[in-house]
Amino acid sequence: MFVIDCPYCGEREQSEFKAGGEAHIVRPKQPTELSDDQWAEYLFMRKNIKGIQFERWVHIHGCRKWFNVVRDTSNDVIKAVYKMGEKPPTN
Amino acid sequence: MKNKYSIFSLVKNAFSYHENWEKAWKDPVPKKEYEVIIIGGGGHGLATAYYLAKKHNMKNIAVVEKGWIGGGNTGRNTTIIRSNYLWDASAGLYDHALKIWEGLSQELNYNVMFSQRGVMNLAHNLQDVRDLKRRTHANRLNGIDAVYLNTEEVKKFCPIINTSQDIRYPVLGGTLQRRAGTARHDAVAWGYARGADEMGVDIIQNCEVKGIKRNGDTVEGIETTKGFIKTKKIGVVAAGHSSVIANMAGLRLPLESKPLQALVSEPVKPIIDTVVMSNAVHAYVSQSDKGELVIGAGTDDYVSYSQKGSHDIVEGTLNAILELYPIFSRMRMLRQWGGIVDICPDASPILSKTSVKGLYFNCGWGTGGFKATPGSGDLFAHTIANDEPHKLNAAFNINRFVSGDLVDEHGAAAVAH
């Protein structure tokens, strides 16, 4: 259990949010030209990182807006929060 | 040959104050090379090594474990064993395991305390009733024992359940698998470890895998905290850390690792002599032989390797438990813990070869791997030894995520994932 700093509402308990999984998975531009392997990669394969993960969250019991979080999955410490469409922090 | 455990060996060792029991397994230094290396010394990994030695006549096998054997999810689950899955592939897999459970204590000469006390799954709405009846029929067509119970029969089988129709989610019925039950989880790991050790398997604890060495499309060995070990075949049975090991070999898996929690109460006199699970309200409970209520909670929805879960998940489960069993309202909870479960998109496991020759994965068991331990070990050993899956685990190959031939047990199994 941890606290998430919603970019719109401020710090709230994690139970107010819903996790949306790995961030920055880009939907294929031309789906009709994808092979089965490429579809599997897009739909199912995940980094599932132990360490620094870029992920999406939605403030489902608050402002209901989506945003991105950088979190260390080995200890649940949040390193950064940034809005959808913004570039992920590099450091 | 190890000394057989029996009433006579117990009496004999009583005379020396139980100080001279022989060690159940050795603590060997890793050799330079093995025929097969199993990564992960949990129940599934130890069972795999055991059946490789026993049924496939392999002599030179190692199990490497980061911590101590059985210290991961094997020692963290709620010990429920059942095989009442909906789809044919799952039914075949889990009932294969259940059949091995039925003779396991005798086979291992180790009491795994397998208790066929029955598992009852409750229905709380009309869709649950339809789903559970459908699953009962599917189970019986697959030769798995299953009966559907109405509300009165549920109450008769487990009298402490609140079957009043004015609770938030009233009990409308349930299914019962009488052959299902529980086992002592630690004993399963210890029994397989002892059996494997007896056949010459090296069980290497406190040995963390740091890398997998590949030469093109074949494996050459593993880098560990105890040095490099050469091998041609690697079986990865690393549960929540499967993706971490896959990454070392340059593979991607369709897994997400999430915390799953359980908790136990203070010990009390026998009050519930079966296992009751409820999918809709997510509450399941049984009672250990020590008298503790063993309660399983749900998974958190975010990826984490922290072995801690969120408090609200436990709270939600206890709300449901108290509505179904008002008699537990004064019970105090003693311990709570989390384990990291690796979940596939279709909530079914992967027991499969990979695109790398000599690299095999047994993962994705999600929230329900303990029940499958003996079957998983047996089938994974077959897959490694023959470089081909057994017909019972053929459907659980990794290519199903490319072909689309998923074994979709999400919600179709008897409990939510």
Side-chain angles (χ1 to χ4, degrees):
Chain A
M1 187 162 216
F2 42 89
V3 169
I4 298 175
D5 189 9
C6 171
Y8 306 96
C9 309
E11 292 192 345
R12 300 291 176 88
E13 294 282 343
Q14 170 262 319
S15 55
E16 287 191 16
F17 299 83
K18 183 154 177 52
E22 192 179 317
H24 307 300
I25 298 174
V26 182
R27 187 173 170 81
K29 292 252 171 3
Q30 288 170 314
T32 48
E33 289 168 21
L34 248 49
S35 68
D36 288 351
D37 279 316
Q38 287 168 319
W39 266 122
E41 186 68 24
Y42 166 70
L43 279 177
F44 298 127
M45 299 302 162
R46 294 293 176 262
K47 289 182 186 157
N48 198 22
I49 286 173
K50 183 180 187 180
I52 302 294
Q53 163 161 290
F54 294 78
E55 59 189 13
R56 301 173 305 170
W57 286 82
V58 57
H59 196 178
I60 193 89
H61 300 299
C63 63
R64 304 184 66 183
K65 287 198 174 83
W66 284 88
F67 57 94
N68 295 307
V69 170
V70 187
R71 182 173 54 94
D72 188 338
T73 60
S74 64
N75 56 16
D76 295 336
V77 172
I78 293 179
K79 305 286 185 188
V81 175
Y82 56 103
K83 291 180 183 171
M84 283 292 163
E86 289 181 358
K87 284 244 181 322
T90 46
N91 47 348
Chain B
M1 191 68 192
K2 289 194 193 299
N3 292 325
K4 200 170 161 19
Y5 289 157
S6 68
I7 182 73
F8 305 108
S9 68
L10 192 64
V11 171
K12 188 179 145 213
N13 279 280
F15 287 110
S16 53
Y17 302 98
H18 297 292
E19 285 173 357
N20 294 324
W21 284 98
E22 108 188 282
K23 276 196 172 176
W25 54 87
K26 297 180 285 291
D27 188 17
V29 176
K31 291 185 221 165
K32 286 206 165 50
E33 183 174 359
Y34 289 95
E35 200 176 344
V36 186
I37 294 176
I38 304 297
I39 300 176
H44 289 238
L46 292 163
T48 304
Y50 174 84
Y51 292 112
L52 276 171
K54 188 178 178 193
K55 292 173 82 169
H56 304 282
N57 231 356
M58 288 190 167
K59 300 279 181 250
N60 197 16
I61 305 166
V63 177
V64 295
E65 164 57 44
K66 176 171 67 170
W68 63 95
I69 59 165
N73 292 351
T74 301
R76 291 169 186 266
N77 61 78
T78 52
T79 79
I80 297 168
I81 295 162
R82 59 184 178 85
S83 65
N84 53 353
Y85 280 71
L86 176 68
W87 302 114
D88 294 350
S90 315
L93 179 67
Y94 291 103
D95 208 52
H96 178 64
L98 184 49
K99 282 177 188 140
I100 304 177
W101 277 114
E102 287 172 332
L104 192 61
S105 291
Q106 287 73 21
E107 183 185 337
L108 294 177
N109 178 226
Y110 203 104
N111 187 3
V112 298
M113 296 166 71
F114 180 51
S115 159
Q116 291 178 296
R117 58 186 66 186
V119 169
M120 187 161 70
N121 297 100
L122 301 179
H124 297 279
N125 54 52
L126 280 176
Q127 191 57 44
D128 276 0
V129 171
R130 294 186 194 110
D131 287 346
L132 262 55
K133 282 185 174 167
R134 178 190 178 203
R135 183 166 53 70
T136 307
H137 294 313
N139 288 160
R140 290 164 80 156
L141 286 170
N142 276 319
I144 294 168
D145 70 305
V147 285
Y148 186 81
L149 309 177
N150 62 29
T151 309
E152 290 72 45
E153 289 163 332
V154 167
K155 182 80 178 168
K156 199 173 164 204
F157 188 68
C158 184
I160 62 169
I161 292 183
N162 180 7
T163 50
S164 157
Q165 292 303 298
D166 59 8
I167 63 175
R168 177 66 183 85
Y169 297 103
V171 176
L172 301 184
T175 64
L176 175 62
Q177 185 181 19
R178 289 183 191 276
R179 283 165 63 232
T182 59
R184 169 89 197 276
H185 47 11
D186 299 318
V188 178
W190 298 336
Y192 273 121
R194 179 170 173 264
D197 181 88
E198 184 173 1
M199 291 181 290
V201 173
D202 279 358
I203 298 168
I204 305 159
Q205 301 182 74
N206 298 309
C207 179
E208 185 175 353
V209 175
K210 291 291 188 185
I212 290 178
K213 194 173 175 205
R214 273 175 65 169
N215 181 8
D217 276 344
T218 53
V219 293
E220 289 196 324
I222 57 171
E223 294 286 354
T224 74
T225 48
K226 295 190 176 181
F228 179 75
I229 312 173
K230 203 174 156 192
T231 188
K232 287 197 177 67
K233 286 187 172 186
I234 300 171
V236 183
V237 201
H241 281 71
S242 298
S243 297
V244 177
I245 304 284
N247 193 31
M248 291 173 187
L251 283 183
R252 268 159 73 77
L253 294 174
L255 297 174
E256 287 196 307
S257 297
K258 297 176 176 181
L260 174 67
Q261 296 177 83
L263 57 163
V264 295
S265 73
E266 58 190 330
V268 290
K269 288 184 178 176
I271 183 71
I272 178 164
D273 63 355
T274 184
V275 182
V276 186
M277 312 177 73
S278 169
N279 187 352
V281 298
H282 208 288
Y284 47 103
V285 63
S286 62
Q287 190 172 19
S288 74
D289 291 357
K290 279 189 287 185
E292 306 153 320
L293 295 180
V294 183
I295 295 169
T299 49
D300 280 290
D301 64 351
Y302 53 86
V303 169
S304 177
Y305 290 81
S306 66
Q307 290 192 332
K308 290 179 290 193
S310 300
H311 186 68
D312 54 301
I313 300 282
V314 171
E315 202 175 7
T317 289
L318 289 179
N319 283 342
I321 293 278
L322 288 189
E323 186 174 74
L324 282 175
Y325 313 92
I327 192 175
F328 295 153
S329 65
R330 303 278 177 98
M331 294 281 285
R332 282 164 294 194
M333 293 298 142
L334 274 194
R335 292 179 291 122
Q336 167 273 344
W337 64 92
I340 301 305
V341 296
D342 45 325
I343 304 175
C344 272
D346 60 354
S348 286
I350 296 168
L351 277 145
S352 179
K353 300 180 3 174
T354 64
S355 55
V356 180
K357 194 171 164 12
L359 186 62
Y360 306 84
F361 269 86
N362 181 352
C363 59
W365 290 95
T367 60
F370 175 73
K371 66 173 83 69
T373 305
S376 158
D378 183 32
L379 299 172
F380 196 46
H382 180 101
T383 307
I384 293 174
N386 300 302
D387 198 36
E388 278 301 322
H390 188 279
K391 68 177 183 345
L392 287 175
N393 68 309
F396 298 96
N397 66 75
I398 201 164
N399 289 329
R400 72 180 189 266
F401 298 98
V402 176
S403 69
D405 191 10
L406 304 177
V407 188
D408 191 4
E409 285 287 352
H410 258 302
V415 67
H417 288 269

